[in-house]
Amino acid sequence: MRIAWAGTARFSELVLARVMTSGHEVVVCMTTPDRPRGRHGSPQPSVLKTAAQELGLPVVQPADLRAPGAIVDLLAFEPDVLVACAYGRIVPADVFVSLPALVVHPSLVPHWRGAAPVVRALMAGETRLGVATLEMTAGVDEGPVADERVVEVPPDADAGRAYELLAEASADSLLATLAGMADGTVVFKPQVGVADYAE
């Protein structure tokens, strides 16, 4: 499948690396605009942008996804699916009604929806974490789930190590979902359980 990849953080880079070896074609990477960082506040690219450029992938950095032309720029690459993985921004509905869209999320939703699921899980003393691939909807991490996997992390794992373990499982989950989409066997099931939010 032709994939438009949306991501920003290291976790997104780790999952993308696996996808690049899977036989699917990543046709464009969408990430956040360069932001001032460091002592002198010079604009710096996201981790995902740096990785995408090293892989020779086109990069788009819309300042506002709701602005006229933002969707046109993305659709110009003719993707079959949009995959958002640690993108850090809410994708407007008119993007994911234009093409199928998935979210790769490092928790067993509806537990720890939101921006910092791994850190919040570790702060709560949890070692049974997980990942899910879900359909993108207007609600943050609220879409129906195509695939989920439990990941046990060592009690002494920090967030960096946990993200590495979760990235492997996330890539497996995403690739299984893409295969199901390609052959028409994927089933999206509503989330079950009490939702909580990882601020």
Side-chain angles (χ1 to χ4, degrees):
M1 299 184 78
R2 293 172 59 83
I3 300 170
W5 191 269
T8 299
R10 167 77 173 151
F11 177 68
S12 187
E13 176 195 6
L14 293 171
V15 180
L16 175 63
R18 275 280 309 281
V19 174
M20 290 293 293
T21 65
S22 68
H24 295 285
E25 182 183 5
V26 178
V27 295
V28 62
C29 285
M30 181 170 69
T31 190
T32 52
D34 295 358
R35 294 181 178 173
R37 291 188 181 90
R39 183 174 181 180
H40 300 289
S42 59
Q44 299 295 318
S46 70
V47 173
L48 194 279
K49 178 181 178 179
T50 301
Q53 290 177 327
E54 290 174 355
L55 292 166
L57 298 173
V59 175
V60 295
Q61 297 176 272
D64 184 355
L65 283 171
R66 296 164 295 183
I71 304 168
V72 174
D73 291 344
L74 190 66
L75 296 180
F77 291 90
E78 300 182 346
D80 298 314
V81 61
L82 169 67
V83 175
C85 178
Y87 179 44
R89 302 175 83 180
I90 295 174
V91 177
D94 53 352
V95 174
F96 57 79
V97 299
S98 302
L99 75 161
L102 302 172
V103 176
V104 177
H105 188 69
S107 82
L108 297 171
V109 289
H111 189 40
W112 296 133
R113 290 174 178 166
V118 176
V119 172
R120 291 298 177 186
L122 295 178
M123 288 174 65
E126 298 178 12
T127 57
R128 184 181 183 271
L129 309 185
V131 301
T133 301
L134 44 142
E135 184 179 16
M136 188 179 291
T137 62
V140 176
D141 304 326
E142 294 179 7
V145 177
D147 187 277
E148 61 182 359
R149 296 165 191 236
V150 173
V151 178
E152 300 286 348
V153 301
D156 60 346
D158 61 10
R161 178 60 180 145
Y163 272 121
E164 290 175 357
L165 295 171
L166 291 163
E168 284 295 312
S170 292
D172 291 338
S173 175
L174 173 61
L175 293 174
T177 301
L178 292 174
M181 292 175 67
D183 65 19
T185 60
V186 68
V187 176
F188 290 93
K189 299 179 180 179
Q191 296 183 23
V192 177
V194 178
D196 48 25
Y197 187 74
E199 296 183 0

